[in-house]
């Protein structure tokens, strides 16, 4: 029985150890007492830093009380890592990175599968042996876009090929490191080094006495000294049977407009439902109605109106905006269910004047400080081009942005693309590839194949196998950050499930399922109403004139063309 996460043997629980490992901490792992009975310092490769590498290579701060040896000199016994840094990784990743076995005939008693050594090919790498250089090499191994060209050979990091069967097949530190990566949801590359006792330092002599491998009690003491979780060999058998509870998300890359992540412990129907929801049912803001007051440009009213509709608008906290169909304050639009943007520009110079998304002015009030603002990502801060004006041409328009979903119109789409893949090796045979000569060359594996074990030659087909790991690559158009798109997609699925539960339970307190606030079009669009509104209006009798800013200006001041 464990007390405060530590059982009576002095080892931490496997759950606490996994959590620490996932947080980027070192852990101490012992193998079987009837095997090597040695301890390794293990960490996820993606969490390796220069400082942690320096600690791993040699920290030399753990000191025992001085003892006397045969020379009758005061000596000190220190605990250190061996200094040999290895990087366990799956067989498939080793193949992808073109890391062959170090020797053809492996004579190691425990069959440790060393590959040729490597250094990162980054321009900052010098000799490859420094803490900075070795830490960078380890992190490069765990990078999502790593390739064979990312390394030079030989080097100072020693990759180890983990057995395909994991710790079920081979109970070694190599397999344990990869298993901890899997359970903690990190990239499947670890960094390990054996713990050793440096022995007795002999004063005045360039030698040490009594060194050797650090065993059980010494490893436990080492871990407690540095606040590290200790995991013993008695937990190995429990690791392969430890199942994650609920869905597991592993973020592999997070950028301003893109999120690359994996989902595990869910079925195909849920994963596909999430994909479809991200594409078409996450609510955003977009210009839905354009009141054309003046348009003397060469472009038709309809053309400009459609261009305005495709300009992405910030949709942060879009839930603060009501759907027009649910608004109790108006029939068409108001401050509670819409955002008003004004566009007014007139060219008075000889040169052609461009009107940009930045020229849209958001009117107040609005539900929050973000929603409805045009998304501008270019370095010049201009945004999309709306139209071009020649001398004396003018546009003046009132734009009404509403909340909607891409299922009704693409202008409400939160994503430009959603990459989705499962079973990259096609073990399940869900895809029948057509090829002319060689399917391996004509249908190359995606980068996701490195995250799963490849099928073995002659391996029997499993008719009962089901996919359990799914690879998503979400690219936002800019109106929502990619993580917000995913969270909103999950929220929509929850709302739909709540509606189903309500329907089956007979709970009609809200009258219909719309009481759950699920995604819908801004104006209902039922009974053929969709499409009746052209999306723009042209009041009769409107005349031209100077802009509200005076002369050929936009809200940002005079244009370069006068």
């Amino acid at each position: 029985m464990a007390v405060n996460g530590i059982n009576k043997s002095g080892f931490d629980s496997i759950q606490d150890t996994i959590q620490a490992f996932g947080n980027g901490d070192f852990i101490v792992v012992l193998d079987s007492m009837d095997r090597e009975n040695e301890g390794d310092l293990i960490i996820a490769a993606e969490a390796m830093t220069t400082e942690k590498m320096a600690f791993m290579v040699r920290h030399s701060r753990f000191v025992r009380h001085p003892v006397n040896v045969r020379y009758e000199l005061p000596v000190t016994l220190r605990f250190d890592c061996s200094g040999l840094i290895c990087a366990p990784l799956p067989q498939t990743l080793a193949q992808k990175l073109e890391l062959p076995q170090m020797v053809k005939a492996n004579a190691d008693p425990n069959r440790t599968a060393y590959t040729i050594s490597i250094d990162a090919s980054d321009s900052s790498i010098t000799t490859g042996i420094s803490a900075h250089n070795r830490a960078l090499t380890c992190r490069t191994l765990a990078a999502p876009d790593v390739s064979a060209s990312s390394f030079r050979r030989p080097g100072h990091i020693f990759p180890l090929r983990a057995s395909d069967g994991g710790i079920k097949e081979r109970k070694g530190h190599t397999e344990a490191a990869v298993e901890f990566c899997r359970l903690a949801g990190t990239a499947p590359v670890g960094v390990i080094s054996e713990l050793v006792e440096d022995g007795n330092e002999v004063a005045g002599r360039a030698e040490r006495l009594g060194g050797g491998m650090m065993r059980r009690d010494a490893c436990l003491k080492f871990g407690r000294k540095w606040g590290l979780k200790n995991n013993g060999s008695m937990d190995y058998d429990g690791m392969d049977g430890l199942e994650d509870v609920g869905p597991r998300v592993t973020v592999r890359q997070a950028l301003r407009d893109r999120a690359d992540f994996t989902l595990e412990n869910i079925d195909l129907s849920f994963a596909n439902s999430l994909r479809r929801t991200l594409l078409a049912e996450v609510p955003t803001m977009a210009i839905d109605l354009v009141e054309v007051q003046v348009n003397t440009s060469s472009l038709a009213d309809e053309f400009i109106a459609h261009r305005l509709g495709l300009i992405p608008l910030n949709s942060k906290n879009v839930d603060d905006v009501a759907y027009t169909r649910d608004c109790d304050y108006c029939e068409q639009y108001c401050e509670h269910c819409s955002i008003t943007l004004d566009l007014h520009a007139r060219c008075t110079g000889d040169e052609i004047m461009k009107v940009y998304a930045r020229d849209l002015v958001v009117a107040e009030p609005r539900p929050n400080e973000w929603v409805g603002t045009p998304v501008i990502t270019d370095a010049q801060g201009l945004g999309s081009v709306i139209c071009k004006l020649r001398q004396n041409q003018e546009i003046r328009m009132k734009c009404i942005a509403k909340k909607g979903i891409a299922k009704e119109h693409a202008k409400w789409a939160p994503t430009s693309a959603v990459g989705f893949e499962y079973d990259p090796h096609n073990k399940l045979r869900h895809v029948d590839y057509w090829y002319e000569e060689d399917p391996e060359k004509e249908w190359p594996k995606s980068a996701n194949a490195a995250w799963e074990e490849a099928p073995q030659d002659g391996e029997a087909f499993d008719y009962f196998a089901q996919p359990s790991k799914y690879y998503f690559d979400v690219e936002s158009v800019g109106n929502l950050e990619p993580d917000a798109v995913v969270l909103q997609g999950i929220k929509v699925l929850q709302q739909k499930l709540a509606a189903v539960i309500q329907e089956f339970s007979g709970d009609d307190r809200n009258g219909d399922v719309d009481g759950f606030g699920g995604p819908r079009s801004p104006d209902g669009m039922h009974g053929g109403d969709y499409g009746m509104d052209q999306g723009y209006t042209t009041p009769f009798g409107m005349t031209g004139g100077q802009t509200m800013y005076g002369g050929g200006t936009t809200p940002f001041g005079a244009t370069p063309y006068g």
Side-chain angles (χ1 to χ4, degrees):
M1 178 180 294
V3 180
N4 295 327
I6 301 177
N7 58 35
K8 62 182 180 181
S9 65
F11 293 106
D12 295 279
S13 68
I14 184 66
Q15 290 82 3
D16 289 347
T17 308
I18 292 170
Q19 182 176 358
F21 188 85
N23 291 337
D25 297 335
F26 284 111
I27 61 174
V28 177
V29 178
L30 276 73
D31 67 355
S32 174
M33 294 185 67
D34 58 6
R35 188 173 177 270
E36 291 180 322
N37 188 24
E38 297 172 358
D40 275 30
L41 198 59
I42 301 180
I43 192 172
E46 65 183 39
M48 181 57 75
T49 63
T50 299
E51 294 76 16
K52 290 179 179 178
M53 179 60 74
F55 177 88
M56 193 174 210
V57 172
R58 189 174 182 90
H59 46 83
S60 66
R61 294 193 183 95
F62 195 93
V63 182
R64 281 185 178 176
H65 296 295
V67 298
N68 290 327
V69 295
R70 58 187 176 130
Y71 294 104
E72 297 183 354
L73 295 172
V75 298
T76 300
L77 185 63
R78 296 187 299 183
F79 294 171
D80 292 285
C81 291
S82 62
L84 181 67
I85 306 300
C86 299
L89 73 172
Q91 295 271 5
T92 51
L93 182 56
Q95 293 169 3
K96 172 188 174 183
L97 301 181
E98 300 175 9
L99 299 177
Q101 294 278 17
M102 183 181 291
V103 294
K104 292 182 178 180
N106 190 344
D108 183 89
N110 292 307
R111 293 292 187 267
T112 304
Y114 290 92
T115 76
I116 58 174
S117 57
I118 58 172
D119 285 335
S121 58
D122 188 90
S123 59
S124 66
I125 297 292
T126 53
T127 62
I129 193 64
S130 70
H132 168 270
N133 286 182
R134 287 201 268 186
L136 179 56
T137 299
C138 292
R139 291 198 305 273
T140 303
L141 276 170
D145 56 349
V146 65
S147 65
S149 62
S150 301
F151 306 98
R152 62 194 190 196
R153 303 157 177 81
H156 299 82
I157 294 295
F158 295 83
L160 306 176
R161 290 186 174 218
S163 297
D164 290 332
I167 56 176
K168 291 182 180 180
E169 179 179 330
R170 181 178 182 273
K171 295 184 184 298
H173 290 105
T174 300
E175 288 70 28
V178 174
E179 187 75 359
F180 272 112
C181 290
R182 182 187 72 82
L183 293 172
T186 68
V189 184
V191 183
I192 67 175
S193 184
E194 294 177 309
L195 292 169
V196 299
E197 293 184 358
D198 267 356
N200 301 316
E201 181 179 299
V202 182
R205 296 177 182 272
E207 55 187 53
R208 305 185 70 86
L209 298 175
M213 302 307 301
M214 194 182 297
R215 305 302 178 186
R216 179 187 182 280
D217 292 342
C219 289
L220 290 174
K221 192 172 183 179
F222 175 89
R224 287 194 293 270
K225 171 67 178 180
W226 299 106
L228 307 179
K229 299 297 182 184
N230 291 285
N231 183 250
S233 59
M234 69 288 294
D235 284 332
Y236 273 32
D237 292 334
M239 286 176 63
D240 55 68
L242 185 66
E243 296 296 335
D244 300 321
V245 178
R248 172 177 289 276
V249 181
T250 302
V251 179
R252 301 190 296 179
Q253 188 175 34
L255 304 175
R256 180 184 57 81
D257 57 356
R258 180 177 170 228
D260 185 340
F261 63 96
T262 65
L263 271 181
E264 297 180 71
N265 300 334
I266 59 174
D267 59 25
L268 179 57
S269 60
F270 178 86
N272 197 41
S273 296
L274 179 60
R275 176 189 67 85
R276 293 167 65 91
T277 301
L278 297 180
L279 284 169
E281 297 190 57
V282 173
T284 64
M285 296 295 295
I287 294 175
D288 189 50
L289 178 65
V290 179
E291 296 179 359
V292 182
Q293 300 169 345
V294 176
N295 179 19
T296 58
S297 71
S298 58
L299 299 178
D301 296 345
E302 302 96 316
F303 189 89
I304 296 179
H306 282 295
R307 288 186 67 84
L308 288 168
L310 294 176
I311 293 176
L313 303 180
N314 194 324
S315 299
K316 184 177 180 180
N317 291 354
V318 72
D319 290 339
D320 294 342
V321 183
Y323 284 100
T324 300
R325 62 176 291 181
D326 296 333
C327 187
D328 298 326
Y329 300 93
C330 67
E331 293 294 332
Q332 190 176 23
Y333 63 85
C334 68
E335 64 186 63
H336 300 284
C337 64
S338 66
I339 306 294
T340 300
L341 299 95
D342 294 312
L343 177 63
H344 190 188
R346 184 171 186 268
C347 179
T348 58
D350 296 333
E351 300 292 334
I352 292 176
M353 169 185 171
K354 293 182 179 179
V355 182
Y356 295 95
R358 72 167 188 181
D359 300 321
L360 286 164
V361 179
V362 181
E364 299 292 345
R366 52 177 168 166
N368 60 57
E369 60 182 300
W370 306 285
V371 68
T373 303
V375 175
I376 299 174
T377 58
D378 59 291
Q380 293 75 27
L382 302 175
S384 306
V385 175
I386 298 173
C387 67
K388 297 179 181 180
L389 301 177
R390 302 186 70 175
Q391 189 173 26
N392 296 323
Q393 289 183 339
E394 179 183 7
I395 57 170
R396 180 185 298 169
M397 300 179 179
K398 180 180 180 181
C399 308
I400 309 300
K402 296 183 179 181
K403 179 179 172 181
I405 58 176
K407 185 181 288 186
E408 301 291 351
H409 195 286
K411 64 187 177 185
W412 280 297
T415 59
S416 55
V418 175
F420 178 72
E421 185 181 20
Y422 67 92
D423 187 26
H425 293 289
N426 198 28
K427 290 182 180 179
L428 303 175
R429 315 280 175 83
H430 286 186
V431 179
D432 187 12
Y433 293 112
W434 181 92
Y435 62 93
E436 292 182 340
E437 295 180 359
D438 188 347
E440 295 296 327
K441 293 182 179 179
E442 297 174 31
W443 296 95
K445 296 289 191 299
S446 71
N448 297 323
W451 286 65
E452 295 191 15
E453 297 293 338
Q456 302 300 311
D457 292 338
E459 180 179 336
F461 180 72
D462 185 355
Y463 290 91
F464 301 99
Q466 297 289 334
S468 61
K469 190 170 187 176
Y470 307 87
Y471 304 88
F472 284 82
D473 192 349
V474 178
E475 184 177 351
S476 169
V477 299
N479 46 19
L480 285 172
E481 294 181 349
D483 60 333
V485 175
V486 176
L487 292 176
Q488 283 281 4
I490 295 173
K491 181 178 179 181
V492 169
L493 287 178
Q494 290 174 327
Q495 292 168 342
K496 287 188 168 187
L497 180 59
V500 173
I501 294 174
Q502 179 194 40
E503 191 73 19
F504 278 99
S505 64
D507 184 358
D508 58 354
R509 287 174 296 177
N510 293 317
D512 56 35
V513 296
D514 288 337
F516 285 93
R520 76 284 303 267
S521 59
D523 298 308
M525 300 178 184
H526 295 309
D529 293 337
Y530 184 72
M532 296 298 292
D533 191 342
Q534 298 297 317
Y536 65 95
T537 59
T538 306
F540 292 96
M542 277 290 180
T543 59
Q546 292 293 315
T547 69
M548 67 180 78
Y549 308 103
T553 62
T554 70
F556 286 83
T559 68
Y561 310 109

